[in-house]
Amino acid sequence: MTNKPPLQGVKVLDLTRLLPGPVCTQHLADMGADVIKIEDTGAGDYTAAPVKVLVNRNKRGIRLDLKQPSAVQAFLDLARTADIVVEGFRPGIVDRLGIGYEQVSAVNPGVVYCSITGYGQTGPFRDLAGHDMNYAGYAGALDQVGTDASTLALSNLPIADLMGGSLTAVMGILAALFDASRTGNGRFLDVAISDGTLAHAVLPLARVNSEGKARPAGGDSISGGLPNYVPYHTRDGRVLAVAALEPKFWEKFCEVIERPDLKACDRNAPPEQLRRIRDEVTRIVASLTLAEWEEKLAGADCCVSPVLKLEESLRHPHFRARGMVHETTHPQLGAMTHVGFPVKMSGFEFSVGRHAPAAGEHTVEILRELGYPDEAITALRESRAAL
């Protein structure tokens, strides 16, 4: 079968750094787009190296000092044939640099130009700094994470940055790119990470609509309010995810643990009954190790599973069979494990075809592709406009 990446031939200029923007453009690169990562000639993308090499795979790299007119011109020359530009500066900065949507669309009316910020291009918070926890806090998402209202929790999977920022941006970019392919007209995309997080707060919003307010952390159906949807600790300090929400699954689990008297676990049962069931399940799960539970539950289809550590997930035969684990050797960092592109589609097989670029690794190559003569490239490098 011919391997034809769905975004083959699409050119992306990536001005982002840290996490939300680079993960967005990583997905585009993984689908075959030619993503050119543009870093400044100072600190560049100062993301920690182990993260940077993961989220910038399959990209090329160039360094431009966009405070110099010659570098701005080089950027606009690149933008003439680009399909997509993604930037993550605070509002107004790209306009002051001369590389904002108006300037780019003047040379390329079909460009899809995506700006990713914490709070958007408009509104009273547009100029505020922030991080994942701030965006999740304002969007009512952080309030929902934890065992109770007094013990809010943080996740090492930053849901605001990745769901509200990266994935929301990819969604908008692909929609606008599809439209541009039909009409020839590009669009400006204003992606606020806080908006994207708020837009996905579906279950708490359902409580607001039905009860007037969201339930506190740990109090809703899938956040700990029901004993049949709870992570329980095993004898060896590991965790068993009991997610037997539907009666048929809960009843099967009760059969496995030989406690048919616990089957009456209705979400409308009195709180004291639900507490009694939870206490009993807590005691039962704590009587065996995780390995013993896996053996006991083998073949029982009841939505109960081990909570794996990431290194265990990477070794798991299911993810291996799905092609989700890719081993590479990085020139500087050595052995690396990557997770694959998560969408399987006919006619396309994901691969890590290119390591994350070193800063400016492809500057000369890219400028030559633009038709710059060697003397012009030398002049840019000597002035440090491009490195």
Side-chain angles (χ1 to χ4, degrees), residues 244-261:
L245 267 181
E246 293 82 358
K248 63 179 181 180
F249 296 132
W250 176 250
E251 290 168 7
K252 180 65 177 178
F253 177 66
C254 290
E255 292 170 9
V256 171
I257 65 175
E258 300 177 353
R259 289 296 301 271
D261 59 304

Side-chain angles (χ1 to χ4, degrees), residues 50 53-54 314 326-338 355:
V53 298
L54 290 177
L314 296 172
H326 294 255
E327 310 287 355
T328 67
T329 302
H330 190 272
Q332 283 77 45
L333 299 181
M336 299 286 299
T337 300
H338 294 259
H355 293 296

Side-chain angles (χ1 to χ4, degrees), residues 51-380:
V51 177
K52 188 174 180 179
V53 298
L54 290 177
V55 302
N56 290 293
R57 69 190 184 201
N58 290 331
K59 303 177 186 179
R60 296 193 288 166
I62 182 173
R63 297 174 74 190
L64 295 174
D65 179 3
L66 293 168
K67 294 179 181 178
Q68 296 196 41
S70 57
V72 171
Q73 185 58 56
F75 177 86
L76 293 175
D77 289 340
L78 280 169
R80 290 179 196 278
T81 56
D83 300 283
I84 300 163
V85 174
V86 187
E87 64 93 5
F89 296 105
R90 291 205 206 186
I93 289 181
V94 287
D95 298 315
R96 292 197 294 273
L97 289 172
I99 58 168
Y101 176 64
E102 296 300 326
Q103 292 100 331
V104 172
S105 63
V107 301
N108 181 358
V111 74
V112 172
Y113 194 109
C114 179
S115 293
I116 304 174
T117 58
Y119 301 106
Q121 303 294 311
T122 60
F125 284 1
R126 69 186 294 268
D127 295 318
L128 281 186
H131 285 294
D132 175 87
M133 182 163 56
N134 306 118
Y135 312 137
Y138 272 119
L142 182 59
D143 174 67
Q144 295 292 298
V145 183
T147 53
D148 57 61
S150 63
T151 346
L152 295 184
L154 297 176
S155 170
N156 207 23
L157 279 74
I159 58 173
D161 280 351
L162 298 178
M163 177 188 68
S166 305
L167 295 183
T168 300
V170 170
M171 174 180 68
I173 288 168
L174 293 180
L177 184 65
F178 174 72
D179 184 59
S181 71
R182 296 183 301 178
T183 66
N185 298 320
R187 292 176 187 260
F188 175 72
L189 280 60
D190 172 7
V191 174
I193 298 171
S194 49
D195 288 353
T197 307
L198 179 64
H200 289 90
V202 177
L203 297 182
L205 179 59
R207 290 294 183 190
V208 171
N209 286 336
S210 61
E211 300 176 4
K213 62 180 179 178
R215 291 186 180 179
D220 215 332
S221 300
I222 64 167
S223 63
L226 295 175
N228 53 347
Y229 204 93
V230 171
Y232 290 96
H233 285 87
T234 62
R235 192 176 71 196
D236 55 345
R238 298 297 299 273
V239 181
L240 190 70
V242 176
L245 267 181
E246 293 82 358
K248 63 179 181 180
F249 296 132
W250 176 250
E251 290 168 7
K252 180 65 177 178
F253 177 66
C254 290
E255 292 170 9
V256 171
I257 65 175
E258 300 177 353
R259 289 296 301 271
D261 59 304
L262 300 180
K263 288 184 177 181
C265 181
D266 185 271
R267 67 180 60 214
N268 297 315
E272 60 272 14
Q273 180 181 337
L274 295 177
R275 278 196 298 271
R276 180 183 67 82
I277 294 173
R278 181 165 178 164
D279 290 345
E280 282 297 297
V281 176
T282 297
R283 182 185 62 78
I284 293 167
V285 173
S287 69
L288 298 176
T289 66
L290 186 64
E292 289 169 335
W293 276 114
E294 288 186 272
E295 182 178 353
K296 192 176 183 69
L297 288 160
D301 189 17
C302 57
C303 300
V304 179
S305 60
V307 173
L308 300 181
K309 300 179 185 298
L310 179 57
E311 57 270 26
E312 294 172 325
S313 302
L314 296 172
R315 295 192 296 265
H316 198 280
H318 175 76
F319 293 117
R320 293 275 174 171
R322 291 282 295 167
M324 285 302 295
V325 183
H326 294 255
E327 310 287 355
T328 67
T329 302
H330 190 272
Q332 283 77 45
L333 299 181
M336 299 286 299
T337 300
H338 294 259
V339 292
F341 185 68
V343 180
K344 314 301 179 191
M345 62 180 78
S346 59
F348 168 59
E349 184 175 349
F350 164 81
S351 66
V352 180
R354 189 193 295 272
H355 293 296
E361 180 177 341
H362 303 98
T363 297
V364 172
E365 173 185 302
I366 291 168
L367 291 175
R368 282 178 176 158
E369 288 175 2
L370 285 177
Y372 278 41
D374 287 347
E375 56 269 26
I377 295 174
T378 300
L380 284 169

